[in-house]
Amino acid sequence: MSNSFVKNTIMTLSRQISGILLGLLASIIIARSLGPEGNGLYQLIVLLPTTLMTLLNLGVGTSSVYYVGQKKYDIKDIIKTNTASGAVLSLVAVIIGLIGVMFFSDKFFEGVPPNYLYFILLIMPLLMLNDFYLVIFQGVQDFKSFNSLALLRQLAALISLVLFIFVLQIGLVGTVIAFIVGVVTQFILTLILLNKNLKTNLLSGSFSKAYFKESFSFGFKAHFSNVLSFINYRADIYLISMFLNPAAVGLYGVAVSIAERLWIVSQSISSVLYPAISSSSDVDSKNKLTSVISRNVLFFSIIAGIVFYFASDLIFRLLFGEAYADSSDILKMLLPGIILFSVDRILSNDLAGRGKPELNMYTSIFTVASNIILNILLIPKVGIAGAAISTSVTYSLSTLVKMFLFKRETGVSYSKMLLLQKEDLILFKRLINKAVKRS
């Protein structure tokens, strides 16, 4: 494991921890100030542009990381082409969003005033372009800029949230505007860093037809998988809104936001792993790197999961108040799938980095279908607990399938993927000894 990989991972992990703290503080402010129903409305509002971006980005971001790592095209040409693609795709997203709000808001966004949904659509172009530009820094492995931009977006949103909620006291409107402020801030800072660090801007370079074709050809495989994964993540929110009410969305959303904090390590490592695998030609090194990461991520996720399980009642009552006490049980139901899925994230990025994103796509088709069916069967019968059970089961199934595919592709045994090895224990011992000596 190279020093640069470790350094980038630690840097990304530090940003993730900082981001979690900022995100948690924002979640607490929104949850306490708006209550379960208002919190549910906010989650449904911001879910609209997030869903549209995920459905319509066509894998351009994933392709950008891959082709920047391959050094096949000039970065300036990639940025120029991404700008054109982002402008067109965001326009399509806005049109589809408008149609969706006009005809389906009562079904999927029950209780949400349509004006909020129309307003949030204005941010689609910047949201799309942010994604297309941010991955350029990931592709060149400039993780200082990559992490700073993501963190500053959260910080700007949090500061705005405090202003709108506590000073101006404009409630739900303030939370939506704070979300938009975060997106706009990230866009402006991204343009500055593109010019400063990569010596380029949106006017530099040329539109590359060759890259455009290859990016969509490669990206569509990853895109379809990402769309299915997103549906797997968020179908439960839409179905809870359809079968229940915004208050149920608020209770469930808070539980999910806390449970997904367990992915901090796997998210940090997978962000660094993808470009590292994409740019490496040493198969043995790639196999060893991913297997070491996979089993260690699982080990620490299990430990964190145990802590979350026993501390969940205290977490929700202390941070969110008695109104969210029921979210604790939902968190406990989510934990088995959340823990296992930390391995899925690592294996998915490895397979994509090897140029085989279609394997993730095939898995996602199966798991999404299972998730939707289970949600439709269980939510009407047992409420939000049904959504939690469905999510946990399908996350677990997805991980098991990815493990099988990774073993088939690499020959790495399941034990090396999942169980700590002697070399890991030796490394832990060295780290502990160093820490003791420094103290």
Side-chain angles (χ1 to χ4, degrees):
M1 195 177 298
S2 68
N3 290 332
S4 61
F5 183 90
V6 174
K7 179 182 177 182
N8 288 334
T9 299
I10 292 174
M11 187 186 303
T12 305
L13 180 59
S14 299
R15 195 276 296 174
Q16 290 278 3
I17 293 173
S18 300
I20 281 178
L21 294 176
L22 292 175
L24 181 60
L25 185 54
S27 297
I28 292 170
I29 292 172
I30 294 171
R32 282 187 170 273
S33 61
L34 301 183
E37 183 174 357
N39 184 31
L41 292 174
Y42 169 73
Q43 291 190 44
L44 289 171
I45 291 167
V46 299
L47 188 59
L48 174 60
T50 305
T51 300
L52 289 170
M53 190 190 75
T54 304
L55 294 178
L56 296 170
N57 69 63
L58 300 185
V60 171
T62 303
S63 297
S64 299
V65 178
Y66 182 77
Y67 284 112
V68 169
Q70 293 285 311
K71 296 182 174 63
K72 187 174 181 179
Y73 297 98
D74 187 276
I75 288 180
K76 293 181 180 180
D77 294 344
I78 290 177
I79 293 173
K80 188 67 170 286
T81 308
N82 282 3
T83 302
S85 300
V88 173
L89 292 173
S90 60
L91 177 61
V92 173
V94 170
I95 294 172
I96 292 175
L98 291 172
I99 295 172
V101 174
M102 289 178 188
F103 296 102
F104 302 104
S105 61
D106 290 343
K107 185 176 291 291
F108 294 105
F109 300 95
E110 182 183 351
V112 180
N115 288 341
Y116 284 89
L117 299 173
Y118 291 130
F119 180 62
I120 199 70
L121 286 173
L122 296 174
I123 205 64
M124 274 308 311
L126 298 190
L127 199 63
M128 187 80 73
L129 291 172
N130 273 346
D131 184 61
F132 288 4
Y133 296 152
L134 186 63
V135 291
I136 301 298
F137 296 105
Q138 184 183 3
V140 299
Q141 302 189 49
D142 178 5
F143 285 95
K144 181 178 180 181
S145 297
F146 177 78
N147 292 316
S148 296
L149 288 168
L151 190 61
L152 288 169
R153 171 177 167 176
Q154 288 182 289
L155 182 60
L158 178 60
I159 293 172
S160 302
L161 185 64
V162 171
L163 173 64
F164 296 136
I165 293 291
F166 296 116
V167 179
L168 300 180
Q169 297 184 345
I170 52 177
L172 182 60
V173 174
T175 62
V176 175
I177 296 176
F179 175 82
I180 293 174
V181 168
V183 174
V184 173
T185 300
Q186 184 182 38
F187 181 77
I188 294 171
L189 293 174
T190 298
L191 297 185
I192 293 172
L193 288 180
L194 283 174
N195 182 58
K196 179 180 178 182
N197 295 357
L198 300 180
K199 309 303 179 186
T200 186
N201 56 58
L202 304 189
L203 301 177
S204 302
S206 303
F207 180 85
S208 171
K209 291 183 180 179
Y211 167 69
F212 179 80
K213 291 179 181 178
E214 284 204 61
S215 68
F216 279 98
S217 177
F218 177 89
F220 181 75
K221 300 173 186 177
H223 171 64
F224 192 53
S225 176
N226 289 338
V227 167
L228 292 171
S229 294
F230 180 83
I231 294 173
N232 204 31
Y233 293 160
R234 296 295 175 255
D236 41 11
I237 297 291
Y238 282 114
L239 291 170
I240 290 172
S241 176
M242 182 187 298
F243 288 117
L244 302 176
N245 51 59
V249 172
L251 291 170
Y252 183 79
V254 166
V256 170
S257 69
I258 295 296
E260 290 181 352
R261 303 307 181 195
L262 279 174
W263 288 339
I264 176 176
V265 176
S266 60
Q267 283 178 331
S268 303
I269 295 176
S270 60
S271 296
V272 181
L273 181 66
Y274 178 42
I277 294 293
S278 299
S279 59
S280 175
S281 58
D282 189 333
V283 176
D284 290 337
S285 295
K286 290 194 286 190
N287 294 347
K288 183 177 180 180
L289 177 63
T290 301
S291 58
V292 169
I293 290 171
S294 175
R295 62 183 182 250
N296 280 277
V297 163
L298 178 61
F299 173 71
F300 287 109
S301 295
I302 290 173
I303 292 176
I306 293 172
V307 173
F308 272 43
Y309 183 89
F310 288 106
S312 62
D313 291 343
L314 179 63
I315 289 172
F316 288 102
R317 284 191 170 86
L318 182 63
L319 298 182
F320 298 97
E322 288 294 331
Y324 292 88
D326 291 343
S327 296
S328 177
D329 292 333
I330 301 304
L331 171 66
K332 292 174 183 177
M333 296 177 193
L334 289 168
L335 280 175
I338 292 287
I339 290 170
L340 276 177
F341 203 73
S342 62
V343 175
D344 183 291
R345 301 176 74 89
I346 300 299
L347 300 182
S348 294
N349 276 276
D350 177 279
L351 293 171
R354 294 172 192 262
K356 297 186 177 181
E358 66 274 9
L359 297 179
N360 294 327
M361 178 181 69
Y362 301 147
T363 304
S364 296
I365 293 173
F366 166 70
T367 53
V368 166
S370 302
N371 190 18
I372 293 175
I373 291 171
L374 284 173
N375 271 292
I376 292 173
L377 291 174
L378 295 178
I379 291 176
K381 293 182 178 180
V382 292
I384 54 178
I389 294 169
S390 302
T391 298
S392 195
V393 168
T394 51
Y395 280 2
S396 301
L397 284 174
S398 179
T399 304
L400 294 175
V401 173
K402 292 285 174 62
M403 287 164 50
F404 170 78
L405 292 174
F406 181 75
K407 183 178 186 298
R408 190 187 68 178
E409 291 295 318
T410 65
V412 174
S413 65
Y414 294 122
S415 61
K416 288 190 176 180
M417 266 186 263
L418 302 175
L419 303 178
L420 290 181
Q421 305 293 305
K422 185 177 179 180
E423 61 191 89
D424 301 315
L425 300 177
I426 293 173
L427 176 60
F428 293 162
K429 185 177 179 180
R430 287 176 182 171
L431 293 174
I432 292 171
N433 288 337
K434 284 184 179 180
V436 171
K437 287 180 181 179
R438 287 178 181 177
S439 61

